[in-house]
Amino acid sequence: MKVKSVALASISVMLLCVNPRPVAAQDSWSYQRCLDYALAHNLTLKQSELQQRLAALTLKQNRLSQLPTVNAGVNGGYRFGRSIDPTQNTFVTQSLFNSGFSIDASADIFGWFTKQNAIKASKYQLYAQNFQLEKARNDMGVNIANAFLQILLANEQVKIGKSQVALSQAQLDNTKKLVAAGSVPESNQADMEAQLARDSSTLITAQNSAITTVLQMKALLNLDFTVPFSTELPEDVLKAPMLNLFETSPEMVFSAALANQPQYKADEMLVKAADRSLASARGALYPSLRMYAGAGTNYANTNREAVGSPRPKIDTIGLVEVGGTVYNVVQPGFERPGTRLTPFGDQLSNNFGQNFGLSLSIPILNGWRQRSEVERAKIEVENRKLTMDVNRLQLRQDVYTAHADAVGALQKYNAAITTEMASQKAYDFATKRFEVGLMNSVEYITTQTNLFKAQIDRVSALYDYIFKVKLLEFYRDQKISL
């Protein structure tokens, strides 16, 4: 059986098309559909989104920290034994119930822009998280593209494996006829049966690999493993644009990557955030001025008030004898009025008090904590700068490596095409010689195996070349189209 290389190549490179045909069924997945689904459901991306939300929440909290603080309080309880009556400020020896109500407010007047710099730092942190989320989404595009290509490669290997099994079966049937006619020895039939068994085993391995690649894609998509899944191939493969490797220098790609890469932009934002955090830490070394105000009142069940007006009275305090006559000694006075528990509302009104003032806080010695925070912030600034330089160097290395890999993959693919063509020609000659008894079965199976390996190598080289070119395009444009 003669393999049509051009047809197989055309089928393989269909995924380069930028205009996929509409989805015919719900279980047909194009690259774009896979990517859109992953962006909405991938668990790693959801974690990145949570980090972005946390950064936004931190910024909001830092902004609101500029507002005055207001707190209200309510308390109540029983006192036993000797204690101070909170409403009369006198010592009493009895049990009493008391409650209090208060409200306090305070606001920063000047703090050397500590909070303002903290707000700027959290703003840059949010910008960095936004870029990190964008990077995670772009990386997901690369991962989905790789998984998509692996599925297509596995499917192509299954097709080749099935063709090889069918070919070996046809050759075995033909050999049986030749053995029956006495044209070839029985050992040829045994050799062909062994070859069919090997080809069947290879096919089973390829089919298992195809199942595995689909499972890997479903894991990326966070898609239920029981959902049917089949890939959709694009059209117009011959018109699909491809990056010209020999007209694109790695330095050109690197310059474009610096302008477009979210990771490098995130590093710049993190350096600015660290710088603002340093300024905020330095501000805490200086005095801060704060204004405060408050109001409060209380109630106690021992607070009593007079009821009615005092009435005059005369009290006899003794006797005195004058000229033999006994007289009463009297003293004028007043009858004390009755008392009652002072009403709750009256106590709150009578005991209501207010306060306000300014507070100046001067840091003198606090275990060197603030100084350590400043030094730590300085180290963080240097660390962020070094991280940016390291990532920049890594990006340059990745781009140059990707360019070299793409060039090498193209050369490997061209060599694989040449090898397949030569193997096909050798196999065609070997088939004719074997059929007329001029080649033994071992040599013929070797020729057939070489062709089978050349076909697998060509398909593998094709997909490897496609992915590496698309990876280079990703570094340049931060997107992948299949």
Side-chain angles (χ1 to χ4, degrees), residues 23 64 69-71 74 94 103 150 188 194-195 204 212 236 259 263 266 302 326 372-373 417 426 462 464 478-479 482:
V23 176
L64 293 178
T69 59
V70 180
N71 297 286
V74 179
Q94 67 182 83
I103 184 169
Q150 290 301 319
N188 285 12
Q195 181 62 29
I204 293 173
T212 302
D236 295 331
Q263 179 62 61
T302 57
V326 178
S372 297
E373 291 295 331
I417 292 177
L462 170 64
D464 183 58
Q478 288 300 295
K479 62 182 180 180
L482 292 178

Coordinates of all heavy atoms in Angstrom, one line a residue, residues 23 64 69-71 74 94 103 150 188 194-195 204 212 236 259 263 266 302 326 372-373 417 426 462 464 478-479 482:
V23 N -19.2 24.9 14.6 CA -19.3 23.6 15.3 C -20.6 22.9 14.9 O -21.7 23.4 14.9 CB -19.4 23.9 16.8 CG1 -19.5 22.6 17.6 CG2 -18.1 24.6 17.2
L64 N -9.9 53.5 52.3 CA -10.9 53.8 53.3 C -10.2 54.0 54.7 O -10.8 54.6 55.5 CB -11.9 52.6 53.4 CG -12.8 52.4 52.3 CD1 -13.7 51.2 52.5 CD2 -13.6 53.6 52.0
T69 N -12.1 57.2 62.2 CA -12.6 56.0 62.9 C -13.6 56.4 63.9 O -13.4 57.3 64.7 CB -11.5 55.2 63.6 OG1 -10.8 56.0 64.5 CG2 -10.4 54.7 62.5
V70 N -14.7 55.7 63.9 CA -15.8 56.0 64.8 C -16.3 54.7 65.4 O -16.5 53.7 64.7 CB -17.0 56.7 64.1 CG1 -18.2 56.9 65.1 CG2 -16.6 58.0 63.4
N71 N -16.3 54.7 66.8 CA -16.7 53.4 67.5 C -17.7 53.8 68.6 O -17.5 54.8 69.3 CB -15.5 52.7 68.1 CG -14.5 52.3 67.1 OD1 -14.7 51.3 66.4 ND2 -13.4 53.0 66.9
V74 N -21.4 49.9 74.4 CA -22.4 49.7 75.4 C -21.9 48.7 76.4 O -21.4 47.7 76.0 CB -23.7 49.3 74.8 CG1 -24.8 49.1 75.9 CG2 -24.2 50.2 73.8
Q94 N -22.7 48.0 98.7 CA -23.9 47.3 98.4 C -23.8 46.9 96.9 O -23.0 47.4 96.2 CB -25.2 48.3 98.5 CG -25.2 49.4 97.5 CD -26.3 50.4 97.8 OE1 -26.3 51.2 98.6 NE2 -27.4 50.2 97.0
I103 N -19.4 56.9 72.6 CA -19.1 57.0 71.2 C -17.8 57.8 71.1 O -17.6 58.8 71.7 CB -20.2 57.6 70.4 CG1 -19.8 57.6 68.9 CG2 -20.6 59.0 70.8 CD1 -21.0 57.9 68.0
Q150 N -1.4 17.8 20.5 CA -1.1 16.5 21.0 C -2.2 15.5 20.6 O -2.0 14.4 20.3 CB -0.8 16.4 22.5 CG 0.5 17.1 22.9 CD 1.7 16.5 22.2 OE1 1.8 15.2 22.1 NE2 2.7 17.3 21.8
N188 N 8.1 -17.5 6.1 CA 7.6 -16.2 5.7 C 6.3 -15.9 6.4 O 6.0 -14.8 6.8 CB 7.5 -16.1 4.2 CG 8.9 -16.0 3.5 OD1 9.9 -16.2 4.2 ND2 8.9 -15.7 2.2
A194 N 4.1 -12.5 13.0 CA 4.8 -11.8 14.1 C 4.7 -10.3 13.8 O 4.5 -9.4 14.7 CB 6.2 -12.2 14.2
Q195 N 4.9 -9.9 12.6 CA 4.8 -8.4 12.2 C 3.5 -7.9 12.5 O 3.3 -6.8 13.0 CB 5.2 -8.3 10.8 CG 5.2 -6.8 10.3 CD 6.2 -6.0 11.0 OE1 7.3 -6.4 11.5 NE2 5.9 -4.7 11.2
I204 N -2.5 -0.4 19.5 CA -3.1 -0.3 20.8 C -2.5 0.8 21.6 O -3.1 1.6 22.3 CB -3.1 -1.6 21.5 CG1 -3.9 -2.7 20.8 CG2 -3.5 -1.5 23.0 CD1 -3.8 -4.1 21.3
T212 N -5.4 9.3 26.4 CA -4.6 10.0 27.4 C -4.6 11.5 27.1 O -4.8 12.4 28.0 CB -3.2 9.5 27.6 OG1 -3.3 8.1 28.0 CG2 -2.5 10.2 28.7
D236 N -8.9 25.6 4.7 CA -8.0 26.5 4.0 C -6.6 26.4 4.5 O -6.0 27.5 4.8 CB -8.5 28.0 4.1 CG -9.8 28.1 3.3 OD1 -10.1 27.4 2.4 OD2 -10.6 29.0 3.7
A259 N 7.7 44.6 24.9 CA 6.6 45.6 24.8 C 5.2 45.0 25.1 O 4.3 45.7 25.5 CB 6.6 46.2 23.4
Q263 N 4.2 39.6 32.0 CA 5.1 39.4 33.1 C 6.1 40.5 33.3 O 6.4 40.9 34.5 CB 5.9 38.1 32.8 CG 6.9 37.7 34.0 CD 6.2 37.5 35.3 OE1 5.4 36.6 35.4 NE2 6.5 38.3 36.3
A266 N 4.3 43.4 34.8 CA 4.0 43.1 36.2 C 5.2 43.4 37.1 O 5.1 43.9 38.2 CB 3.5 41.7 36.4
T302 N -28.6 52.7 92.0 CA -28.4 53.3 93.3 C -28.7 54.8 93.2 O -28.6 55.4 94.3 CB -27.1 53.0 93.9 OG1 -26.1 53.5 92.9 CG2 -26.9 51.5 94.1
V326 N -40.6 72.6 134.9 CA -39.8 71.8 133.9 C -40.4 72.2 132.5 O -41.6 72.2 132.3 CB -40.0 70.3 134.1 CG1 -39.2 69.6 133.0 CG2 -39.5 69.9 135.5
S372 N 13.6 48.2 61.4 CA 13.6 47.0 60.7 C 12.7 46.9 59.5 O 13.0 46.4 58.4 CB 13.3 45.8 61.6 OG 14.3 45.8 62.7
E373 N 11.5 47.5 59.6 CA 10.5 47.6 58.5 C 11.1 48.4 57.4 O 10.9 48.0 56.2 CB 9.2 48.2 59.0 CG 8.4 47.4 60.0 CD 7.9 46.1 59.3 OE1 7.7 46.1 58.1 OE2 7.8 45.1 60.0
I417 N 10.5 14.4 5.9 CA 9.7 14.2 4.6 C 10.6 13.5 3.6 O 10.2 12.5 2.9 CB 9.3 15.6 4.0 CG1 8.3 16.2 4.9 CG2 8.8 15.4 2.6 CD1 7.9 17.6 4.4
A426 N 11.8 2.7 -1.2 CA 12.5 1.4 -0.9 C 11.4 0.3 -0.6 O 11.6 -0.8 -1.0 CB 13.4 1.6 0.4
L462 N 6.2 17.2 12.1 CA 5.3 18.3 11.7 C 4.6 19.0 12.9 O 4.6 20.2 12.9 CB 4.2 17.7 10.8 CG 3.0 18.6 10.4 CD1 3.6 19.8 9.6 CD2 1.9 17.9 9.6
D464 N 5.6 19.0 16.0 CA 6.6 19.7 16.8 C 7.0 21.0 16.1 O 7.1 22.0 16.8 CB 7.8 18.8 16.9 CG 8.9 19.4 17.7 OD1 8.6 19.7 18.9 OD2 10.0 19.5 17.3
Q478 N 1.9 37.6 21.9 CA 1.2 37.2 23.1 C -0.1 36.6 22.8 O -1.1 36.7 23.5 CB 1.0 38.4 24.0 CG 2.3 38.8 24.7 CD 2.9 37.7 25.6 OE1 2.3 37.3 26.6 NE2 4.1 37.3 25.2
K479 N -0.2 35.9 21.7 CA -1.5 35.1 21.3 C -1.1 34.0 20.4 O -0.1 34.0 19.7 CB -2.5 36.1 20.7 CG -2.1 36.7 19.4 CD -3.1 37.7 18.9 CE -2.7 38.3 17.6 NZ -3.7 39.2 17.1
L482 N -4.8 29.0 15.9 CA -4.7 27.7 15.2 C -5.9 27.5 14.3 O -7.0 28.0 14.6 CB -4.7 26.5 16.3 CG -3.5 26.5 17.1 CD1 -3.6 25.3 18.1 CD2 -2.2 26.2 16.3

